[in-house]
Amino acid sequence: MATTTSTTPAATGIARWQMPALIAGIIGMVGALAGAFLDRPEFFRAWVAPFVYWFLIAAGALAVLCLQYVTGGEWGVLIRRPLGAAARTLPLFLLLGLPLILGLPHIYEWARPEAAADHLLHKKQLWLNPMGWGIRALVYFALMALWAWRIRVLSLDFAKTRSPYTELSRRKWAAAGILVMVMVLTFTSIDWVMSLEPKWYSSMFGIAFTVGAGLSAFAFVTFFLTTISRTQAMIDILKPNHFRDLGNLMLAFTMLWAYTNFSQFLLIWYGNIKEETPYYLKRMH
């Protein structure tokens, strides 16, 4: 009698986390809504940090994915799918960003009516105004969603046809995507984070924010691969050299992140200008 063997591919087991994650998300959302009823201003202000935290992972994933398709290399072959999946969650942040829009005057000083009486804030109203802030946010997400979708389509097409023209088109989109993501992350850092203190400014803030997004993406994907490395599906695929390469890249991004942040601090400390120092004085005391 002929024997048959199962051709069903081994699973990584990540599907079992879907329901616990959903339950945890629902519980967290209920807690957040309770906080909104108890203290609306504090709820809106507290929403900024986690929103930016998760946004950095998703946006950083798209940026690193573009970088990988441009540069190539074995280090990125196994992380393309997780990075692409993370990048495709970016449109979801339009929904998650609703509390920021609804609570704009509670979060940002420049969005309050009394800001018009402040001479400096009045001069900045051409950029820092609620309508402009909202329109720019839509543009940012439209650009990121477009690039995440286009690279996904080209990747699926290349998997079927192995056409060098598809690969070339994907590389062109990825190369342009790196520039787009640098610009988007720079402007989101200004609009969403640096404008929390609208009278303060730093030319290093955008690059530090962008590097932080890349570092967040590498940390996320390394953690993800670590969790599935012992599963039957990946035990013969993930090798120590994969984690070595990712570890080296994480170290490089960590050093670059530390360099940009320390450079910002050092220049402000050395300049000792009263318009710049309050940012650090608040955080030190």
Side-chain angles (χ1 to χ4, degrees):
M1 181 182 293
T3 59
T4 59
T5 57
S6 174
T7 58
T8 304
T12 58
I14 59 174
R16 70 178 186 272
W17 292 104
Q18 288 181 339
M19 187 55 67
L22 178 61
I23 294 173
I26 293 173
I27 293 173
M29 188 61 67
V30 171
L33 290 174
F37 283 106
L38 293 173
D39 191 339
R40 284 177 61 84
E42 191 61 30
F43 162 78
F44 290 126
R45 286 191 289 267
W47 193 268
V48 179
F51 177 84
V52 172
Y53 175 87
W54 292 107
F55 169 78
L56 283 175
I57 294 177
L62 179 56
V64 172
L65 183 64
C66 291
L67 178 66
Q68 211 290 318
Y69 280 128
V70 170
T71 61
E74 188 180 354
W75 64 268
V77 175
L78 291 177
I79 66 174
R80 288 177 177 178
R81 291 298 178 88
L83 289 175
R88 289 192 297 277
T89 65
L90 282 165
L92 182 62
F93 284 85
L94 283 171
L95 177 62
L96 296 175
L98 285 178
L100 300 185
I101 298 174
L102 297 174
L104 213 61
H106 297 291
I107 300 170
Y108 298 102
E109 179 184 351
W110 50 264
R112 299 166 191 162
E114 58 269 24
D118 189 301
H119 178 71
L120 183 57
L121 295 184
H122 179 71
K123 289 291 186 180
K124 294 186 176 186
Q125 278 189 340
L126 184 63
W127 184 269
L128 295 178
N129 61 84
M131 181 175 290
W133 188 93
I135 292 173
R136 289 195 301 273
L138 290 176
V139 173
Y140 303 150
F141 282 113
L143 288 171
M144 290 185 290
L146 172 63
W147 254 264
W149 168 79
R150 186 59 184 161
I151 289 178
R152 170 67 170 170
V153 169
L154 291 171
S155 296
L156 291 175
D157 185 52
F158 180 75
K160 294 177 182 177
T161 64
R162 295 293 171 179
S163 169
Y165 298 104
T166 304
E167 170 63 13
L168 178 61
S169 179
R170 184 172 62 178
R171 286 198 172 206
K172 288 180 178 178
W173 273 86
I178 294 175
L179 299 176
V180 168
M181 289 309 299
V182 170
M183 295 297 294
V184 165
L185 287 168
T186 298
F187 283 108
T188 53
S189 73
I190 296 170
D191 285 356
W192 301 350
V193 184
M194 192 158 67
S195 70
L196 288 167
E197 297 194 40
K199 297 181 182 180
W200 178 79
Y201 58 90
S202 169
S203 58
M204 295 292 292
F205 194 84
I207 186 62
F209 190 84
T210 303
V211 172
L215 178 57
S216 298
F218 275 117
F220 157 74
V221 78
T222 303
F223 169 77
F224 175 77
L225 291 184
T226 302
T227 59
I228 66 173
S229 62
R230 299 292 184 182
T231 62
Q232 195 64 35
M234 303 300 293
I235 195 168
D236 294 325
I237 297 176
L238 281 170
K239 303 297 183 183
N241 63 293
H242 293 127
F243 290 105
R244 180 200 63 205
D245 292 342
L246 289 174
N248 289 337
L249 286 165
M250 282 184 64
L251 176 61
F253 270 76
T254 301
M255 294 174 66
L256 183 57
W257 179 85
Y259 168 76
T260 53
N261 278 276
F262 180 73
S263 295
Q264 175 181 273
F265 168 80
L266 185 64
L267 291 172
I268 290 175
W269 173 82
Y270 183 80
N272 199 28
I273 301 173
K274 66 178 182 178
E275 289 83 8
E276 297 178 350
T277 52
Y279 177 84
Y280 283 106
L281 291 176
K282 291 178 183 178
R283 285 154 180 78
M284 288 177 176
H285 298 286

